[in-house]
Amino acid sequence: MQFNTKTIHGGQQPDKAYGAVMPPIYQTTTYAQSAPGEHQGYEYSRAKNPTRHALENAFASIENGNFGMAFGSGLAAIDAILKLLKPGDEVISTTDLYGGTYRLFSQVFEDFGIRFHYVDLNDASKIEKYFSVNTRLIWIETPTNPMLNIIDIKTIASAAQKHNVLFAVDNTFATPYLQRPLDLGADIVMHSVTKYLGGHSDLVMGALIVKNSELANRLYFIQNASGAICGPQDSFLALRGIKTLHVRMQRHCENAEKVAHFLKGHPQVDMVYWPGFKDHPNHRIAKKQMDDYGGMISFSVKGKRMEEAISVVRKLQLFTLAESLGGVESLAGHPATMTHGSVPKIEREKIGITDSLIRLSVGIEDIDDLIADLEQALQ
Ligand code: P1T
């Protein structure tokens, strides 16, 4: 089955009760048993719910995995992965990460005795020097939030295999429409479903997808034992969102390409970060591991001061100033004060998150309207 068919049919079957084409919203806590332990596959909705199960099958299908898991948020999904670890274990991660992921690592799991190394993996071969006998997990995002750096998944995967270390990729920015990390050797794919998979800014959810059944069983155990699951209504919305992922992503990519070129030629704009540019430091890797360049762009305004950036985002009318990304509507954010406010300023600035940086989630509106909005705001 091709990807554009999987988004609609992958892992789905008409509902067994009445043949409903969309899985019904099974808004139930529990399930009748004919005798203790005798049931139709469902006992209690924290462990398993038919609507969530249909969604988990869809996740597995679109990421070319065998097992999918849905969580109450992207961070709850990351939290489940970290619970595979024990005190003393070490994680290799990158300097450029979603601020909330960094906060979970540094302010929650550090206290449980897990050590995190935040390193620059733009040259992935450098990862060799960061392994120790205690390394258990490599955690990356690519493209990264918000600097749109690209990390070579295949190179990291072969290092992870060599050292027998788990390798997880946050695929939120790319989505499986553009990039399938499990096919490139990753062990776990994670999503903030809140973003492109949901696609309509109407839910908060996370996902994990794996190929290996032993790893899946450990994660299913944590999902049930810790209980950070999502409800049936949100599962239904996410399933509906995934059915149009391919058509939305195509337009996100087309619009972002035009916006990136517009910004690059604008006299008020300093730097533009978008992996589709030939002079992006890892354009060659992006071209190799992605099918297109996605809908996210970051740029800095000339003058390098916070006031200029704030003035631009305040003047935008179609681009809504808001956290989050990946919905049909265009959003603008100021990472230094919003999504990455929990990263210390000194760390932020080292990786380019200056006070004048603006992040755009380019939506699927008419491109002429989007460019006109940016033009008036930058004037
Ligand atoms: O918000 P939540 O569903 O818990 O997902 C967290 C998360 C994880 N990974 C990436 C790459 C993310 O971008 C996010 C959430 N990000 C935002 C809210 C944001 O505006 O960047």
Side-chain angles (χ1 to χ4, degrees), residues 73-76 78 98 101 141 145 170 172-173 190 192-195 204-205 323-325 339-340 359:
S73 69
L75 284 174
I78 303 174
Y98 168 56
T101 306
E141 288 171 12
N145 180 1
D170 181 336
T172 299
F173 268 37
M190 175 265 158
S192 170
V193 180
T194 319
K195 314 294 165 18
V204 175
M205 186 187 289
E323 304 246 354
S324 202
L325 59 109
T339 47
H340 292 70
R359 189 189 74 180

Side-chain angles (χ1 to χ4, degrees), residues 4 14 110 143 179 237 294 310 342:
N4 294 352
E110 284 271 359
Q179 163 179 292
L237 283 175
I310 301 275
S342 55

Side-chain angles (χ1 to χ4, degrees), residues 5-59:
T5 309
K6 281 186 177 179
T7 57
I8 297 166
H9 298 286
Q12 305 305 302
Q13 279 163 1
D15 185 62
K16 290 207 182 83
Y18 298 109
V21 169
M22 272 307 278
I25 301 171
Y26 280 95
Q27 192 73 48
T28 186
T29 308
T30 194
Y31 307 81
Q33 305 194 8
S34 47
E38 273 180 34
H39 52 76
Q40 297 174 48
Y42 298 92
E43 290 170 272
Y44 185 62
S45 279
R46 170 163 33 73
K48 209 166 159 196
N49 169 283
T51 320
R52 196 179 87 221
H53 192 209
L55 173 65
E56 291 174 332
N57 288 341
F59 288 151

Side-chain angles (χ1 to χ4, degrees), residues 163-213:
H163 292 268
N164 197 19
V165 162
L166 275 177
F167 175 31
V169 178
D170 181 336
N171 205 27
T172 299
F173 268 37
T175 84
Y177 176 78
L178 299 177
Q179 163 179 292
R180 289 151 303 277
L182 296 179
D183 290 348
L184 300 173
D187 299 300
I188 307 175
V189 166
M190 175 265 158
H191 277 278
S192 170
V193 180
T194 319
K195 314 294 165 18
Y196 288 106
L197 298 195
H200 296 77
S201 303
D202 52 10
L203 55 85
V204 175
M205 186 187 289
L208 299 180
I209 303 104
V210 303
K211 281 193 165 162
N212 177 284
S213 62

Side-chain angles (χ1 to χ4, degrees), residues 357-376:
L357 191 78
I358 295 172
R359 189 189 74 180
L360 299 180
S361 171
V362 181
I364 63 170
E365 300 95 335
D366 188 283
I367 186 63
D368 292 340
D369 289 334
L370 295 180
I371 297 216
D373 191 30
L374 288 163
E375 178 73 74
Q376 65 78 25

Side-chain angles (χ1 to χ4, degrees), residues 15 28 44 58 68 82 90 94 105 114 129 136 142 147-148 154 182 193 204 224 239-240 282 298 315 323 326 339 365:
D15 185 62
T28 186
Y44 185 62
L82 293 169
E90 294 183 18
T94 58
F105 290 176
I114 294 167
K129 63 181 181 205
R136 295 285 175 273
T142 182
M147 298 310 298
L148 285 308
K154 237 181 173 165
L182 296 179
V193 180
V204 175
N224 181 42
L239 257 174
R240 189 163 74 163
N282 272 341
S298 291
K315 279 198 219 142
E323 304 246 354
T339 47
E365 300 95 335

